[in-house]
Amino acid sequence: MSEYSAPVNFIDLKAQQSVIRDRIDHAISRVLDHGQYIMGPEVKEFENDLRLYTGVKHALTCANGTDALTLVMMAWNVGSGDAVFIPSFTYVASAETPAQLGATPFFIDVEKDTFNLCPQSLKQAITDARKMGLNPCLVIAVDLFGQPANFKSIYEITKNENIKVLVDGAQSFGACIDHKKVGNYGDAATTSFFPAKPLGCYGDGGAVLTNNDELNHLVNSIRLHGKGTEKYDNVRIGVNSRLDTIQAAILIEKLKIFPEEIEKRNNIATIYSEGLKGVSGLITPKLLKNTS
């Protein structure tokens, strides 16, 4: 009878938690003590930590990574008649979010060596969308396996087409291109704090990162029921999408060890890549130059 080794977990959250369990317990206890469970002080503190870590001007948290995409598209008035270009190798949320707003998800190819969006396929898709009577308005560049998409080539295509670039950096959060962190590329970027993501909480959570003041203002309003100057001043159609205070408190502590976590992930990825070289029919992601 064959013997099988125990399965390897996609991510070992228990091992990670054991390193910071005392800090997590204290962080949660502080929230329980002050009782501000919705939009408490830890939310603002974590948003400021995100700004400092990424170097972006604005960071707004929300309920999850899917909502983060939706909030940006709502702020940009994406809707009926618009084509939103997304890679064919992605999670359903990439297509689900524009479809919910009435836009048309337009699938394009990915590169065979990085598995990220293929710029040449994007170029052809823009032409095809116009032939179908659609308005090409947005590219959602979904970063996979820790590596950002080829933004330089994407920009060369979109810059003269009046097409915005939204970076879904849920898997690449913490990565850099030319020593500049994800969050600074595209017209806006989003991330998810789903537990298995590079920076994950113990529930759901997400964030929008942008250097644009107007977009920051609109997203902040939309995530709070279209809030105006105060809570009951509702000036636009919005949603209810907030990161709860306990999750923010957890993320504050996890961000403190995040650089070390990224280094460990990269070391493990190198071990796997080296060990799998030469396996027939198996392609591991190629790391682009100037990316770390």
Side-chain angles (χ1 to χ4, degrees):
M1 187 173 182
S2 299
E3 292 184 4
Y4 296 93
S5 59
V8 177
N9 291 327
F10 180 72
I11 182 171
D12 191 346
L13 293 173
K14 288 184 178 180
Q16 181 196 58
Q17 188 184 109
S18 67
V19 177
I20 55 172
R21 180 60 185 262
D22 288 346
R23 283 177 276 175
I24 293 292
D25 287 344
H26 289 150
I28 294 173
S29 293
R30 286 194 298 271
V31 178
L32 296 179
D33 288 342
H34 67 58
Q36 298 179 55
Y37 305 119
I38 304 296
M39 300 301 284
E42 285 80 4
V43 174
K44 286 295 182 185
E45 181 181 347
F46 176 59
E47 289 176 341
N48 187 58
D49 289 348
L50 281 178
R51 286 192 290 269
L52 293 175
Y53 176 78
T54 59
V56 299
K57 189 174 182 180
H58 303 290
L60 292 173
T61 55
C62 58
N64 52 70
T66 303
D67 277 4
L69 295 171
T70 300
L71 290 168
V72 175
M73 284 188 278
M74 288 179 70
W76 285 338
N77 294 313
V78 174
S80 179
D82 291 331
V84 176
F85 302 104
I86 58 176
S88 55
F89 184 33
T90 184
Y91 184 62
V92 66
S94 306
E96 180 181 53
T97 46
Q100 286 177 336
L101 297 175
T104 299
F106 207 106
F107 292 95
I108 58 179
D109 292 334
V110 297
E111 296 180 319
K112 64 180 182 180
D113 54 356
T114 67
F115 305 99
N116 280 334
L117 183 149
C118 174
Q120 288 307 308
S121 181
L122 170 62
K123 192 172 184 179
Q124 180 62 50
I126 294 170
T127 299
D128 293 342
R130 289 197 172 112
K131 288 180 179 177
M132 295 171 62
L134 296 171
N135 170 46
C137 73
L138 175 64
V139 179
I140 301 180
V142 183
D143 299 340
L144 288 184
F145 308 126
Q147 179 168 221
N150 188 346
F151 295 126
K152 182 177 180 181
S153 296
I154 293 171
Y155 292 155
E156 287 299 313
I157 295 169
T158 60
K159 66 181 181 180
N160 297 319
E161 296 281 1
N162 196 30
I163 296 174
K164 293 185 181 296
V165 177
L166 175 56
V167 177
D168 182 343
Q171 287 193 27
S172 65
F173 186 79
C176 297
I177 303 176
D178 294 324
H179 307 291
K180 186 183 292 185
K181 283 190 171 64
V182 168
N184 291 280
Y185 294 92
D187 296 284
T190 65
T191 192
S192 166
F193 302 123
F194 184 81
K197 300 301 182 185
L199 180 64
C201 55
Y202 296 151
D204 262 322
V208 174
L209 307 167
T210 181
N211 291 307
N212 185 286
D213 294 342
E214 181 181 4
L215 179 61
N216 178 69
H217 171 75
L218 289 172
V219 169
N220 185 48
S221 171
I222 293 168
R223 70 171 176 164
L224 302 172
H225 297 286
K227 176 180 174 292
T229 56
E230 50 88 19
K231 182 176 180 180
Y232 297 108
D233 176 31
N234 306 100
V235 297
R236 58 180 53 85
I237 298 296
V239 297
N240 177 20
S241 186
R242 300 169 295 200
L243 179 71
D244 73 69
T245 309
I246 287 178
Q247 298 302 337
I250 292 167
L251 285 163
I252 288 170
E253 299 305 320
K254 292 191 71 173
L255 187 59
K256 292 175 182 177
I257 65 167
F258 188 58
E260 180 184 346
E261 292 273 302
I262 291 296
E263 184 178 356
K264 289 178 179 178
R265 281 175 177 255
N266 286 337
N267 290 339
I268 292 170
T270 299
I271 292 170
Y272 271 99
S273 294
E274 291 297 320
L276 293 171
K277 277 184 178 179
V279 177
S280 178
L282 183 65
I283 300 174
T284 56
K286 174 186 175 183
L287 186 64
L288 297 177
K289 292 180 179 179
N290 304 322
T291 300
S292 60

